[in-house]
Amino acid sequence: MEINKSIVIMNKKGIHARTAAMIVSFTNKIKNKYDVQLYIQKQNTHNKMPIGSMLVLTSLRIKQGETIHLSCIGENAKQALEEMENYISGQIDQKMKNIEEFDEVLEENTINVRSELESIREIKDKFGSILNHIGDGICLMDNEGVITYVNTAYEKIFEINARDILWKYVKDVYPNRPSVKALEEKTNILDVLIEEKEEKQIISNSTPIFVNGIFKGVLSTYKDVTDLKKMMYRLDQAKEKIKYYEEELKKKDNIHEAFHFIIGRSVLLQESIAMASKAAKTSATVIVRGESGTGKELVAKAIHDASQRKKEPFIKVNCAAIPENLLESELFGYEKGAFTGAMKRKMGKFELANEGTLFLDEIGEMNYTLQAKLLRAIQEKEIERLGGNATIKTNIRIIVATNKNLEEMIANHEFREDLYYRLNVIPIMIPSLRNRKGDIPLLVEHFIKKICTQENIKIKTISSEVLKYLEEHSWPGNIRELENVMIRAITLSEGEAIEIESFPSYIQSISKRKNTKLINLVEGDLATMEEYDREIIKLALEKYKSFNKAGQILGLTHRTISLKAKKYKL
Ligand SMILES: Nc1ncnc2c1ncn2[C@@H]1O[C@H](COP(=O)(O)OP(=O)(O)OP(=O)(O)O)[C@@H](O)[C@H]1O
Ligand SMILES: [Mg+2]
């Protein structure tokens, strides 16, 4: 007996793999139970096929709403087919519905999970690129101290490649880092790291991370403040410079421009100049003291030029250059016939200097009797020509100069004490060059310009090396000696640079001398503390090349040493 039935497939997905498997397995049950043959034919097709395998069923590609024809052959075909129909359009339907619903939920969830994953990935990427664009270095390590993440800035700051340190124990890579301490102590550690290589300064901040109270690792951030420090330092420098120039300007304001030709910034010299500038405003007698060649005459002339008498004569008498017996007539003049050879009246320097300044150089060389006459002329403000009896009223500013130890001369009765007190109204001490060696570069530059201009040749240069040797000489002849040495060197040097070979042998030998001692009592006298200070700072900076290190060695702060370096123009 053969029975046929048509069934409309209502499953959403038609007969797909899962439905086909169920139908095949049910078919096998029915076949065994009723001993029947079962066939399937898709509507509008000609093939009638046995429902034996999943392959057959799925190959038909039966969709929702399509009709299939089932035929059953056998004794119990009717019952068998009824059960098949029930199964396909009833139970299977229900089962499939459940499965499909489940599938849908599953699919929906998968979509949700997928998009959640997507957004997590997006956030991760965003964070990644944010972290890599941050200027601060970031390093993450887990609770075991294994480095799990570093950003680009971190690689840059420490000049490493992430792959060289990732997944390594921080203790093995950076045993001394504050992050190791943060890991061990589980506390926040703020510290400054100094990277030796480039003298980098890095602020490091290591924080333990706790999630729900459980320690998860350490997050460290690193801020490179080297540039900031440099900028702060430059700013400091600029401020100091401004302060310096302001002070210089103030000083220059107070100091008459006549003194600007006197080269030198050392404190000792500037104090003398300030004193001279004050003295120039009065008519008081000035005594300029200092070793030979220190610039006593220069100062005397500047005082005159800065005074109200500047348009009046500046008359100089060198007491050492004029024979003793002629000095008196030179100073006070004579009448015709005053002595043999006095053919006509001659005016003395006092008269010539009237209304102006009389500069008595080398006053220590004047003889004792003449000293009395000089004292009288100064006290009375009047003179008499030799061989005359008329007194001449004078209005003269007296400046004297000496390199002699007048106090010792007084003790030896070589210089009159009363004259000394008369002259010692405003004493101005000019420092020796060896006590202001810091001024040597300035003076050398000044003389090169002056001499080359005079000689009408191109301005020559001098290396700091050679300057260093010049600074090491003790300069017993002071600035005059330096000027002469420079004239010689400029004349002898052929090239544009003035080489050490153009200097006298006693300076050349300095360049060959090793281990020059700072305190050299054999060579010369002691220098001022300021000179020693300068020498020491200079040596330390030459040796250590950094304010930090030089400061450490000398026990000074970075700030103190940089201020000193600025002050001494190092
Ligand atoms: N501070 C200075 N700046 C520039 N040139 C200077 C300075 N001091 C001295 N000189 C120069 O050095 C030389 C010597 O100076 P000056 O004649 O004034 O010294 P002095 O103390 O009078 O010496 P002496 O005791 O031998 O008479 C001069 O040519 C002078 O122009
Ligand atoms: Mg002189």
Side-chain angles (χ1 to χ4, degrees), residues 311-537:
K311 295 218 171 86
E312 306 298 333
F314 174 81
I315 302 294
K316 178 192 160 183
V317 179
N318 187 333
C319 306
I322 298 165
E324 255 181 45
N325 56 333
L326 293 186
L327 187 56
E328 185 178 359
S329 61
E330 186 72 17
L331 286 176
F332 304 115
Y334 51 84
E335 294 292 347
K336 186 176 172 183
F339 48 84
T340 20
M343 308 295 278
K344 54 177 180 178
R345 171 200 278 179
K346 189 179 187 258
M347 277 215 267
K349 299 290 187 198
F350 262 88
E351 266 185 87
L352 290 173
N354 208 3
E355 304 300 325
T357 303
L358 178 63
F359 174 48
L360 301 173
D361 202 1
E362 318 267 9
I363 190 76
E365 302 297 323
M366 185 180 277
N367 78 37
Y368 208 75
T369 15
L370 191 53
Q371 285 175 25
K373 291 181 180 161
L374 172 65
L375 175 64
R376 206 187 124 241
I378 295 173
Q379 259 169 350
E380 310 298 329
K381 291 192 171 69
E382 54 185 35
I383 51 144
E384 268 169 31
R385 293 192 197 109
L386 266 71
N389 37 32
T391 54
I392 302 159
K393 284 266 163 214
T394 56
N395 170 16
I396 293 171
R397 130 65 71 76
I398 305 277
I399 301 178
V400 303
T402 184
N403 56 19
K404 287 270 162 79
N405 185 337
L406 294 185
E407 294 75 10
E408 210 172 77
M409 289 179 77
I410 293 169
N412 294 337
H413 301 286
E414 290 161 355
F415 201 83
R416 294 183 65 103
E417 199 172 2
D418 47 7
L419 176 63
Y420 173 82
Y421 286 116
R422 194 77 221 173
L423 298 177
N424 202 27
V425 182
I426 303 180
I428 293 172
M429 289 300 304
I430 311 293
S432 318
L433 185 52
R434 85 183 140 278
N435 288 339
R436 52 179 185 111
K437 284 188 175 176
D439 287 344
I440 288 179
L442 276 178
L443 283 160
V444 166
E445 193 191 336
H446 164 76
F447 287 130
I448 291 178
K449 251 189 224 156
K450 182 176 151 187
I451 298 159
C452 291
T453 313
Q454 268 170 13
E455 296 298 314
N456 207 9
I457 54 175
K458 194 162 175 239
I459 306 286
K460 299 204 180 211
T461 60
I462 192 161
S463 68
S464 52
E465 180 93 4
V466 175
L467 273 178
K468 213 173 75 191
Y469 300 136
L470 294 181
E471 282 179 51
E472 278 174 39
H473 179 49
S474 58
W475 300 105
N478 292 296
I479 301 185
R480 180 175 297 112
E481 183 188 358
L482 177 64
E483 186 171 13
N484 290 338
V485 162
M486 287 313 296
I487 293 174
R488 174 200 149 111
I490 289 169
T491 316
L492 291 185
S493 69
E494 280 161 11
E496 198 183 315
I498 308 168
E499 307 289 356
I500 186 72
E501 288 73 30
S502 306
F503 286 91
S505 56
Y506 58 85
I507 287 174
Q508 284 187 44
S509 66
I510 295 173
S511 71
K512 288 167 196 139
R513 199 169 66 209
K514 299 246 149 54
N515 302 325
T516 43
K517 288 220 179 70
L518 181 67
I519 300 177
N520 190 340
L521 291 174
V522 185
E523 268 276 318
D525 298 331
L526 284 169
T528 58
M529 284 314 287
E530 194 188 359
E531 283 299 316
Y532 286 119
D533 196 38
R534 179 180 189 275
E535 257 336 276
I536 291 166
I537 304 285

Side-chain angles (χ1 to χ4, degrees), residues 261-263 292-298 443 446 479-480 483:
F261 302 106
I262 301 171
I263 310 294
S292 170
T294 45
K296 297 185 293 293
E297 188 174 336
L298 203 64
L443 283 160
H446 164 76
I479 301 185
R480 180 175 297 112
E483 186 171 13

